[in-house]
Amino acid sequence: MVTSSVVNTYPLSSYSFGTKEPKMEKDTSVADRLARMKLNYMKEGMRTSVEAILLHNHPHILLLQIGNTFCKLPGGRLKPGENGIRFHLTINDHYTPFPPSDTPFCLAEIEGLKRKLSSKLAANSPNMQPNWQIGECVAVWWRPNFETIMYPYCPPHISKPKECKKLYVVHLSEREYFAVPKNLKLLAVPLFELYDNVQRYGPVISTIPQQLSRFQFNMIPA
Amino acid sequence: MVTSSVVNTYPLSSYSFGTKEPKMEKDTSVADRLARMKLNYMKEGMRTSVEAILLHNHPHILLLQIGNTFCKLPGGRLKPGENGIRFHLTINDHYTPFPPSDTPFCLAEIEGLKRKLSSKLAANSPNMQPNWQIGECVAVWWRPNFETIMYPYCPPHISKPKECKKLYVVHLSEREYFAVPKNLKLLAVPLFELYDNVQRYGPVISTIPQQLSRFQFNMIPA
């Protein structure tokens, strides 16, 4: 893990892009997705997902576009046991997240994000994996119910959140090869396009500019 | 400075509150304020301001209310020389903020925030000053022009921003005495009241929940 508030960003010309087999969404509707989430919750408890903020010069954020409008960050759901959050029952009977002091757990979360990034953006060959340098966690979002709405805190009186989603800054190296699934489009979106644009990007992605504002971007020229 | 992502928060009953002489706003209108800002810019260059996020249990954020509706974080403008940001001309002729590597400068910024906090919230007696433990910078906002609008990045093509405002988490001790200026009201506002409430709190304060979401709150009971 890289815990620096200085992020080197490289021009897009640093990177090369190819395609690979499609990564289909598991669900064809929001209703299907929430139903599957509910089923998984009953089997495995709270869903933990991790997503990456990949930056290149200016800075721009890399997003994956599905269909004509929906955009998401690369990442996804961790396997049970890969998540770094454990719960700790406080005396007022609320669950509060407990710091992931247990290193193997925390490492598992970072490894889980690398696995997800490779699945979404790396070539299939094991010796062509980008050097994913996972940086700081910049935001945590909570899903209190089996609904689309999420909050940047676990709302009061919610003792059993259904999902915890963590966003990490990922530091890219100077040269990388990305293989983009054929059904997805990789977009590079500038911060000023995301800012205050909740209609287009939703509440999680549209507030990334605020979460990155404390970082120093060291833009490396081409 | 405290650089931990674990924040202890204490109940409101930990703190006692009194009043002190009013701290009047220097300007009576937004137009006056922007005109004064312009005048100061010509004399002293970019305005740097620092503001504090003070938390107590649940967590709630402490805000100062002026009149019936306007709320602000405690803090304010640094004196010339107190600011930690210096500018560094990059090769593509854009000014980009340079990390405050020069320790005395950075310390000056932290000391400036403590000075502002004492002016707004401490008793006048020097031996009754709260133990202001300044934590991490969580957001940086830029004012590109002599206008009210600010952005969480310095917009492209703005080489001479007019203000840089930094928000810091401030860790409070278990017991403190606050003296609130008579013309201001101290409010404790829960995160869920701030979230998505740009109409009431403006863009800077309403996205504090997102900026705090990565912190672990260790709520100490009464």
Coordinates of all heavy atoms in Angstrom, one line a residue, chain A residues 6 85 91 96-100 136-142 150-153 156 166 191-193 195 203 207 209-217 219 221, chain B residues 6 85 91 96-100 136-142 150-153 156 166 191-193 195 203 207 209-217 219 221:
Chain A
V6 N 0.7 12.7 -2.1 CA 1.2 13.1 -3.4 C 0.9 12.0 -4.4 O 1.3 10.9 -4.2 CB 2.7 13.5 -3.3 CG1 3.1 14.0 -4.7 CG2 2.9 14.6 -2.3
I85 N -13.4 -5.0 7.0 CA -14.1 -4.5 8.1 C -14.7 -5.6 9.0 O -15.3 -6.5 8.5 CB -15.3 -3.6 7.5 CG1 -14.7 -2.3 7.0 CG2 -16.4 -3.3 8.6 CD1 -15.8 -1.3 6.7
I91 N -21.7 -0.3 23.4 CA -22.6 -0.5 24.5 C -24.0 0.1 24.2 O -24.9 -0.4 24.8 CB -22.0 0.2 25.8 CG1 -21.6 1.6 25.5 CG2 -20.9 -0.6 26.4 CD1 -21.5 2.5 26.7
T96 N -20.6 -0.5 15.1 CA -19.8 0.5 14.5 C -18.6 -0.2 13.9 O -18.1 -1.2 14.4 CB -19.3 1.5 15.5 OG1 -18.7 0.8 16.6 CG2 -20.4 2.4 16.0
P97 N -18.2 0.3 12.7 CA -17.0 -0.4 12.1 C -15.8 -0.3 13.0 O -15.6 0.7 13.6 CB -16.8 0.4 10.8 CG -17.7 1.6 10.9 CD -18.6 1.5 12.0
F98 N -15.1 -1.4 13.0 CA -13.9 -1.5 13.9 C -12.7 -1.4 13.0 O -12.7 -1.9 11.9 CB -14.0 -2.8 14.6 CG -13.1 -2.9 15.8 CD1 -13.4 -2.2 16.9 CD2 -12.0 -3.7 15.8 CE1 -12.6 -2.3 18.0 CE2 -11.2 -3.8 16.9 CZ -11.5 -3.1 18.0
P99 N -11.7 -0.6 13.4 CA -10.5 -0.5 12.6 C -9.9 -1.8 12.2 O -9.8 -2.7 13.0 CB -9.5 0.3 13.4 CG -10.3 0.9 14.5 CD -11.5 0.1 14.7
P100 N -9.6 -2.0 10.9 CA -9.0 -3.3 10.5 C -7.6 -3.5 11.0 O -6.6 -3.4 10.3 CB -9.1 -3.2 9.0 CG -9.1 -1.8 8.7 CD -9.6 -1.0 9.8
E136 N -4.5 5.4 -0.6 CA -5.4 5.6 0.5 C -6.9 5.4 0.2 O -7.3 5.6 -0.9 CB -5.3 7.1 1.0 CG -4.0 7.4 1.6 CD -3.9 8.8 2.1 OE1 -4.9 9.2 2.8 OE2 -2.9 9.5 1.8
C137 N -7.6 4.9 1.2 CA -9.1 4.9 1.1 C -9.6 6.3 1.2 O -9.2 7.0 2.2 CB -9.6 4.0 2.3 SG -11.4 4.0 2.3
V138 N -10.3 6.8 0.3 CA -10.8 8.2 0.3 C -12.3 8.3 0.7 O -12.7 9.4 1.0 CB -10.5 8.9 -1.0 CG1 -9.0 9.1 -1.2 CG2 -11.2 8.3 -2.2
A139 N -13.0 7.3 0.6 CA -14.5 7.4 0.9 C -15.0 6.0 1.2 O -14.5 5.0 0.7 CB -15.3 8.0 -0.2
V140 N -16.0 6.0 2.1 CA -16.7 4.7 2.5 C -18.2 5.0 2.4 O -18.7 6.0 2.9 CB -16.3 4.3 3.9 CG1 -17.1 3.0 4.3 CG2 -14.8 4.1 4.1
W141 N -18.9 4.2 1.6 CA -20.4 4.4 1.5 C -21.1 3.2 2.0 O -20.6 2.0 1.9 CB -20.7 4.6 0.0 CG -20.2 5.9 -0.6 CD1 -19.0 6.2 -1.0 CD2 -21.0 7.1 -0.7 NE1 -18.9 7.5 -1.4 CE2 -20.1 8.1 -1.3 CE3 -22.4 7.4 -0.5 CZ2 -20.6 9.4 -1.5 CZ3 -22.8 8.7 -0.8 CH2 -21.9 9.7 -1.3
W142 N -22.3 3.4 2.6 CA -23.0 2.4 3.2 C -24.4 2.2 2.6 O -25.1 3.2 2.3 CB -23.3 2.7 4.7 CG -22.0 2.8 5.5 CD1 -21.2 3.9 5.6 CD2 -21.3 1.8 6.2 NE1 -20.1 3.7 6.4 CE2 -20.1 2.4 6.7 CE3 -21.6 0.4 6.4 CZ2 -19.2 1.6 7.5 CZ3 -20.7 -0.3 7.2 CH2 -19.5 0.3 7.7
M150 N -27.4 4.9 -1.2 CA -26.2 4.7 -0.2 C -25.9 6.0 0.4 O -26.2 7.1 -0.1 CB -25.0 4.2 -1.0 CG -25.3 2.8 -1.6 SD -23.8 2.1 -2.4 CE -23.1 1.2 -1.0
Y151 N -25.3 5.9 1.6 CA -24.9 7.1 2.4 C -23.4 7.1 2.8 O -22.9 6.0 3.0 CB -25.7 7.2 3.7 CG -27.2 7.3 3.4 CD1 -28.0 6.2 3.4 CD2 -27.8 8.6 3.2 CE1 -29.4 6.3 3.1 CE2 -29.2 8.7 3.0 CZ -29.9 7.5 2.9 OH -31.3 7.6 2.7
P152 N -22.8 8.3 2.9 CA -21.4 8.3 3.3 C -21.2 8.1 4.8 O -20.2 8.5 5.4 CB -20.9 9.7 2.9 CG -22.1 10.5 2.9 CD -23.3 9.6 2.6
Y153 N -22.2 7.5 5.5 CA -22.1 7.1 6.9 C -23.1 6.0 7.1 O -24.0 5.8 6.2 CB -22.5 8.3 7.8 CG -23.7 9.1 7.3 CD1 -25.0 8.6 7.6 CD2 -23.5 10.2 6.5 CE1 -26.1 9.3 7.1 CE2 -24.7 10.8 6.0 CZ -25.9 10.4 6.3 OH -27.0 11.0 5.8
P156 N -28.1 6.4 11.5 CA -28.5 6.0 12.9 C -29.6 5.0 12.8 O -30.4 5.0 12.0 CB -29.0 7.3 13.5 CG -28.6 8.4 12.6 CD -28.3 7.8 11.3
K166 N -15.9 0.7 -0.4 CA -14.8 1.6 -0.1 C -14.1 2.0 -1.4 O -13.9 1.2 -2.3 CB -13.7 0.8 0.7 CG -14.2 0.5 2.1 CD -13.1 -0.2 2.9 CE -13.3 -0.2 4.3 NZ -12.1 -0.7 5.0
L191 N -12.1 16.0 -13.6 CA -12.7 16.3 -12.3 C -13.9 17.4 -12.5 O -14.9 17.2 -11.9 CB -11.7 16.9 -11.3 CG -10.7 15.9 -10.8 CD1 -9.7 16.6 -9.8 CD2 -11.3 14.7 -10.2
F192 N -13.7 18.4 -13.4 CA -14.7 19.4 -13.5 C -16.0 18.9 -14.1 O -17.0 19.5 -14.0 CB -14.2 20.7 -14.2 CG -13.7 20.5 -15.6 CD1 -14.5 20.4 -16.6 CD2 -12.3 20.3 -15.8 CE1 -14.1 20.2 -17.9 CE2 -11.8 20.1 -17.1 CZ -12.7 20.1 -18.2
E193 N -15.8 17.8 -14.9 CA -17.0 17.1 -15.5 C -17.8 16.3 -14.4 O -19.1 16.3 -14.4 CB -16.6 16.2 -16.6 CG -17.6 15.1 -17.1 CD -18.8 15.7 -17.9 OE1 -18.8 16.8 -18.3 OE2 -19.7 14.9 -18.1
Y195 N -17.7 17.0 -11.0 CA -18.1 17.9 -9.9 C -19.6 18.4 -10.1 O -19.9 18.9 -11.2 CB -17.2 19.0 -9.7 CG -17.6 20.0 -8.7 CD1 -17.8 19.5 -7.4 CD2 -17.9 21.3 -8.9 CE1 -18.2 20.4 -6.3 CE2 -18.3 22.2 -7.9 CZ -18.5 21.7 -6.7 OH -18.9 22.5 -5.7
P203 N -24.3 9.9 -6.8 CA -23.7 10.6 -5.6 C -22.3 10.1 -5.3 O -21.5 10.9 -4.8 CB -24.7 10.3 -4.5 CG -25.5 9.1 -4.9 CD -25.6 9.2 -6.4
T207 N -18.9 13.1 -6.2 CA -18.2 13.7 -5.1 C -16.8 13.3 -5.0 O -16.1 13.7 -4.0 CB -18.9 13.7 -3.7 OG1 -19.2 12.3 -3.4 CG2 -20.2 14.5 -3.7
P209 N -14.3 14.5 -6.7 CA -13.4 15.7 -6.7 C -13.2 16.3 -5.3 O -12.1 16.6 -4.9 CB -14.2 16.7 -7.6 CG -15.0 15.9 -8.6 CD -15.4 14.7 -7.7
Q210 N -14.3 16.3 -4.5 CA -14.1 16.8 -3.1 C -13.2 15.9 -2.3 O -12.4 16.3 -1.5 CB -15.5 16.8 -2.4 CG -16.4 17.9 -2.8 CD -17.3 17.6 -3.9 OE1 -17.0 16.9 -4.9 NE2 -18.6 18.0 -3.8
Q211 N -13.3 14.6 -2.5 CA -12.4 13.6 -1.8 C -11.0 13.7 -2.2 O -10.1 13.4 -1.5 CB -13.0 12.2 -1.9 CG -14.2 12.0 -1.1 CD -15.3 11.2 -1.8 OE1 -15.0 10.5 -2.7 NE2 -16.5 11.3 -1.3
L212 N -10.8 14.1 -3.5 CA -9.4 14.2 -4.0 C -8.8 15.5 -3.7 O -7.6 15.7 -4.0 CB -9.3 13.8 -5.5 CG -9.7 12.4 -5.9 CD1 -9.5 12.3 -7.4 CD2 -8.9 11.4 -5.1
S213 N -9.6 16.5 -3.3 CA -9.1 17.9 -3.2 C -7.9 18.1 -2.3 O -7.1 19.0 -2.5 CB -10.2 18.8 -2.8 OG -10.6 18.6 -1.5
R214 N -7.7 17.2 -1.3 CA -6.6 17.3 -0.4 C -5.3 16.8 -0.9 O -4.3 16.9 -0.3 CB -6.9 16.6 1.0 CG -7.1 15.1 0.8 CD -7.6 14.5 2.1 NE -7.9 13.1 1.9 CZ -7.1 12.1 2.1 NH1 -5.9 12.3 2.6 NH2 -7.5 10.9 1.9
F215 N -5.4 16.1 -2.1 CA -4.2 15.5 -2.6 C -3.4 16.5 -3.5 O -4.0 17.4 -4.1 CB -4.5 14.3 -3.5 CG -4.9 13.1 -2.7 CD1 -6.3 12.9 -2.3 CD2 -4.0 12.1 -2.3 CE1 -6.7 11.8 -1.6 CE2 -4.4 11.0 -1.6 CZ -5.7 10.8 -1.2
Q216 N -2.1 16.3 -3.5 CA -1.3 17.1 -4.4 C -1.0 16.3 -5.7 O -0.5 15.2 -5.6 CB 0.1 17.4 -3.8 CG 0.0 17.9 -2.4 CD -0.1 19.5 -2.4 OE1 -0.1 20.1 -3.5 NE2 -0.3 20.0 -1.2
F217 N -1.4 16.7 -6.8 CA -1.2 16.0 -8.0 C 0.1 16.5 -8.7 O 0.3 17.7 -9.0 CB -2.4 16.1 -9.0 CG -3.6 15.5 -8.5 CD1 -4.6 16.2 -8.0 CD2 -3.6 14.1 -8.4 CE1 -5.7 15.6 -7.4 CE2 -4.7 13.4 -7.9 CZ -5.8 14.2 -7.4
M219 N 1.8 16.3 -11.8 CA 1.6 15.9 -13.2 C 2.9 15.7 -14.0 O 3.5 16.7 -14.2 CB 0.6 16.8 -13.9 CG -0.7 16.9 -13.1 SD -2.0 17.9 -13.9 CE -2.8 18.5 -12.4
P221 N 4.8 15.3 -17.3 CA 4.5 15.6 -18.7 C 4.9 14.4 -19.6 O 5.7 13.5 -19.2 CB 5.4 16.8 -19.0 CG 6.4 16.9 -17.9 CD 6.0 16.1 -16.7
Chain B
V6 N -8.4 7.6 13.1 CA -9.3 7.2 14.2 C -9.6 8.5 14.9 O -8.6 9.2 15.3 CB -8.7 6.1 15.1 CG1 -9.7 5.8 16.2 CG2 -8.4 4.9 14.3
I85 N 0.7 27.1 1.6 CA 0.8 26.8 0.2 C 1.7 27.8 -0.5 O 1.5 29.0 -0.4 CB -0.6 26.8 -0.5 CG1 -1.4 25.6 0.0 CG2 -0.5 26.9 -2.0 CD1 -2.6 25.3 -0.9
I91 N 5.8 23.6 -16.2 CA 6.3 23.9 -17.5 C 5.2 24.2 -18.5 O 5.4 25.0 -19.4 CB 7.1 22.7 -18.1 CG1 6.4 21.4 -17.9 CG2 8.5 22.6 -17.6 CD1 6.8 20.3 -18.9
T96 N 0.5 25.3 -10.0 CA 0.0 24.2 -9.3 C 0.4 24.3 -7.8 O 1.6 24.7 -7.6 CB 0.4 22.8 -9.8 OG1 1.8 22.8 -9.9 CG2 -0.2 22.6 -11.2
P97 N -0.4 23.9 -6.9 CA 0.0 24.0 -5.5 C 1.2 23.1 -5.2 O 1.3 22.0 -5.8 CB -1.2 23.5 -4.7 CG -2.2 23.0 -5.6 CD -1.8 23.3 -7.0
F98 N 2.1 23.5 -4.4 CA 3.3 22.8 -4.2 C 3.3 22.3 -2.8 O 2.8 23.0 -1.9 CB 4.5 23.8 -4.3 CG 5.8 23.2 -4.5 CD1 6.1 22.4 -5.7 CD2 6.8 23.2 -3.5 CE1 7.3 21.8 -5.8 CE2 8.0 22.6 -3.7 CZ 8.3 21.9 -4.8
P99 N 3.7 21.0 -2.5 CA 3.5 20.5 -1.2 C 4.3 21.4 -0.2 O 5.4 21.9 -0.4 CB 4.2 19.1 -1.2 CG 4.3 18.8 -2.7 CD 4.3 20.1 -3.4
P100 N 3.6 21.7 1.0 CA 4.3 22.5 1.9 C 5.4 21.8 2.7 O 5.3 21.4 3.8 CB 3.1 22.9 2.9 CG 2.1 21.8 2.8 CD 2.3 21.2 1.4
E136 N -6.0 15.9 10.3 CA -5.7 15.9 8.8 C -6.5 16.9 8.1 O -7.6 17.2 8.4 CB -6.1 14.5 8.3 CG -5.2 13.4 8.7 CD -5.6 12.1 8.0 OE1 -5.8 12.0 6.8 OE2 -5.7 11.1 8.7
C137 N -5.9 17.4 7.0 CA -6.6 18.2 6.1 C -7.5 17.3 5.3 O -7.1 16.3 4.7 CB -5.6 18.9 5.1 SG -6.4 19.9 3.8
V138 N -8.8 17.6 5.2 CA -9.8 16.7 4.5 C -10.3 17.2 3.2 O -10.8 16.5 2.4 CB -11.0 16.2 5.4 CG1 -10.5 15.4 6.6 CG2 -11.8 17.4 5.9
A139 N -10.2 18.5 3.0 CA -10.6 19.1 1.8 C -10.0 20.4 1.5 O -9.6 21.1 2.4 CB -12.2 19.3 1.8
V140 N -9.8 20.7 0.2 CA -9.2 22.0 -0.2 C -10.2 22.6 -1.2 O -10.6 21.9 -2.2 CB -7.8 21.8 -0.8 CG1 -7.2 23.2 -1.2 CG2 -6.9 21.2 0.2
W141 N -10.6 23.8 -1.1 CA -11.5 24.5 -2.0 C -10.8 25.7 -2.6 O -10.1 26.4 -1.9 CB -12.8 24.9 -1.3 CG -13.7 23.7 -0.9 CD1 -13.5 22.9 0.1 CD2 -14.8 23.2 -1.7 NE1 -14.5 21.9 0.1 CE2 -15.3 22.1 -1.0 CE3 -15.4 23.6 -2.9 CZ2 -16.4 21.3 -1.4 CZ3 -16.5 22.9 -3.3 CH2 -17.0 21.7 -2.6
W142 N -11.1 26.0 -3.9 CA -10.5 27.1 -4.6 C -11.5 28.1 -5.0 O -12.5 27.7 -5.6 CB -9.7 26.6 -5.8 CG -8.6 25.6 -5.4 CD1 -8.7 24.3 -5.3 CD2 -7.3 25.9 -5.1 NE1 -7.5 23.7 -4.9 CE2 -6.6 24.7 -4.9 CE3 -6.5 27.1 -5.1 CZ2 -5.3 24.6 -4.5 CZ3 -5.2 27.0 -4.8 CH2 -4.5 25.8 -4.5
M150 N -16.9 28.5 -5.3 CA -15.7 27.8 -5.1 C -15.7 26.4 -5.6 O -16.8 25.8 -5.8 CB -15.3 27.8 -3.6 CG -15.2 29.2 -3.0 SD -14.6 29.1 -1.3 CE -12.8 29.1 -1.5
Y151 N -14.5 25.8 -5.9 CA -14.5 24.4 -6.5 C -13.5 23.6 -5.7 O -12.5 24.1 -5.2 CB -14.0 24.5 -8.0 CG -14.9 25.2 -8.9 CD1 -14.8 26.6 -9.1 CD2 -16.0 24.6 -9.5 CE1 -15.6 27.3 -9.9 CE2 -16.9 25.3 -10.3 CZ -16.7 26.7 -10.5 OH -17.5 27.3 -11.3
P152 N -13.7 22.3 -5.7 CA -12.7 21.4 -4.9 C -11.5 21.1 -5.8 O -10.8 20.1 -5.5 CB -13.6 20.2 -4.6 CG -14.6 20.1 -5.8 CD -14.9 21.5 -6.1
Y153 N -11.2 21.9 -6.7 CA -9.9 21.8 -7.5 C -9.7 23.2 -8.1 O -10.7 24.0 -8.1 CB -10.1 20.8 -8.7 CG -11.4 21.0 -9.4 CD1 -11.6 21.9 -10.4 CD2 -12.5 20.2 -9.0 CE1 -12.8 22.1 -11.0 CE2 -13.8 20.4 -9.7 CZ -13.9 21.4 -10.7 OH -15.1 21.6 -11.3
P156 N -9.1 24.4 -14.6 CA -8.1 24.6 -15.7 C -8.1 26.0 -16.2 O -9.2 26.7 -16.2 CB -8.6 23.6 -16.8 CG -9.7 22.8 -16.2 CD -10.2 23.4 -15.0
K166 N -8.8 25.6 3.3 CA -8.5 24.2 3.7 C -9.3 23.8 4.9 O -9.3 24.6 5.9 CB -7.0 24.1 4.1 CG -6.1 24.2 2.9 CD -4.7 24.0 3.4 CE -3.7 23.8 2.3 NZ -2.4 23.4 2.8
L191 N -24.3 14.5 10.9 CA -23.9 14.3 9.5 C -25.1 14.1 8.6 O -25.1 14.6 7.5 CB -23.0 13.0 9.4 CG -21.6 13.1 10.1 CD1 -20.9 11.8 9.9 CD2 -20.8 14.3 9.5
F192 N -26.1 13.4 9.0 CA -27.3 13.1 8.1 C -28.1 14.4 7.8 O -28.8 14.4 6.8 CB -28.2 12.0 8.7 CG -28.8 12.2 10.0 CD1 -30.0 13.0 10.1 CD2 -28.3 11.7 11.2 CE1 -30.5 13.2 11.3 CE2 -28.9 11.9 12.4 CZ -30.0 12.7 12.5
E193 N -27.9 15.4 8.7 CA -28.6 16.7 8.4 C -27.8 17.5 7.3 O -28.4 18.2 6.5 CB -28.7 17.5 9.7 CG -28.9 19.0 9.6 CD -30.3 19.4 9.1 OE1 -31.2 18.5 9.1 OE2 -30.5 20.6 8.8
Y195 N -25.7 16.0 5.0 CA -25.6 15.3 3.7 C -26.7 15.6 2.7 O -27.9 15.6 3.1 CB -25.6 13.8 4.0 CG -25.6 12.9 2.7 CD1 -24.5 13.1 1.9 CD2 -26.6 12.1 2.4 CE1 -24.4 12.3 0.7 CE2 -26.6 11.4 1.2 CZ -25.5 11.5 0.4 OH -25.4 10.8 -0.8
P203 N -22.1 24.2 -0.7 CA -21.4 23.0 -1.2 C -20.2 22.6 -0.3 O -19.9 21.4 -0.3 CB -20.8 23.5 -2.6 CG -20.9 25.0 -2.6 CD -22.1 25.4 -1.6
T207 N -20.8 18.6 1.9 CA -20.1 17.4 1.5 C -19.0 17.0 2.6 O -18.2 16.1 2.3 CB -19.4 17.5 0.1 OG1 -18.6 18.7 0.1 CG2 -20.4 17.5 -1.0
P209 N -19.8 15.1 5.1 CA -20.0 13.7 5.4 C -19.2 12.8 4.5 O -18.6 11.8 5.0 CB -21.5 13.5 5.2 CG -22.1 14.8 5.6 CD -21.1 15.9 5.0
Q210 N -19.1 13.1 3.2 CA -18.3 12.3 2.3 C -16.8 12.4 2.7 O -16.1 11.4 2.5 CB -18.4 12.8 0.8 CG -19.8 12.5 0.2 CD -20.8 13.6 0.4 OE1 -20.9 14.1 1.4 NE2 -21.5 13.8 -0.7
Q211 N -16.3 13.5 3.1 CA -14.9 13.7 3.4 C -14.5 13.0 4.7 O -13.4 12.6 4.9 CB -14.5 15.1 3.5 CG -14.4 15.7 2.1 CD -15.0 17.1 2.0 OE1 -15.2 17.8 3.0 NE2 -15.3 17.5 0.8
L212 N -15.5 12.8 5.6 CA -15.3 12.1 6.9 C -15.5 10.6 6.8 O -15.2 9.9 7.7 CB -16.1 12.7 8.0 CG -15.9 14.2 8.3 CD1 -16.7 14.6 9.5 CD2 -14.4 14.4 8.7
S213 N -16.1 10.2 5.7 CA -16.6 8.8 5.6 C -15.4 7.8 5.8 O -15.7 6.7 6.3 CB -17.3 8.5 4.3 OG -16.4 8.6 3.2
R214 N -14.2 8.1 5.5 CA -13.1 7.2 5.6 C -12.6 7.1 7.1 O -11.7 6.3 7.4 CB -11.9 7.6 4.7 CG -11.3 8.9 5.0 CD -10.4 9.4 4.0 NE -9.9 10.8 4.3 CZ -8.8 11.1 4.9 NH1 -8.0 10.1 5.4 NH2 -8.5 12.3 5.2
F215 N -13.0 8.0 7.9 CA -12.5 8.0 9.3 C -13.3 7.0 10.2 O -14.5 6.7 9.9 CB -12.7 9.4 10.0 CG -11.7 10.4 9.4 CD1 -12.0 11.1 8.3 CD2 -10.5 10.6 10.1 CE1 -11.1 12.0 7.8 CE2 -9.6 11.5 9.6 CZ -9.9 12.2 8.4
Q216 N -12.6 6.5 11.2 CA -13.3 5.6 12.1 C -13.6 6.5 13.3 O -12.7 7.0 13.9 CB -12.4 4.5 12.6 CG -11.7 3.7 11.5 CD -12.6 2.6 11.0 OE1 -13.6 2.3 11.6 NE2 -12.1 1.9 9.9
F217 N -14.9 6.6 13.7 CA -15.2 7.3 14.9 C -15.3 6.4 16.1 O -16.1 5.5 16.1 CB -16.5 8.1 14.7 CG -16.4 9.2 13.6 CD1 -16.9 9.0 12.4 CD2 -15.6 10.3 13.9 CE1 -16.7 9.9 11.4 CE2 -15.4 11.2 12.9 CZ -16.0 11.0 11.6
M219 N -16.6 6.4 19.5 CA -17.5 7.3 20.3 C -17.4 6.9 21.7 O -17.7 5.8 22.1 CB -18.9 7.2 19.8 CG -19.0 7.6 18.3 SD -20.7 7.7 17.7 CE -20.4 7.3 16.0
P221 N -18.5 7.0 25.4 CA -19.7 7.3 26.1 C -19.6 8.3 27.3 O -18.4 8.5 27.7 CB -20.2 5.9 26.6 CG -19.0 5.1 26.6 CD -18.0 5.7 25.7

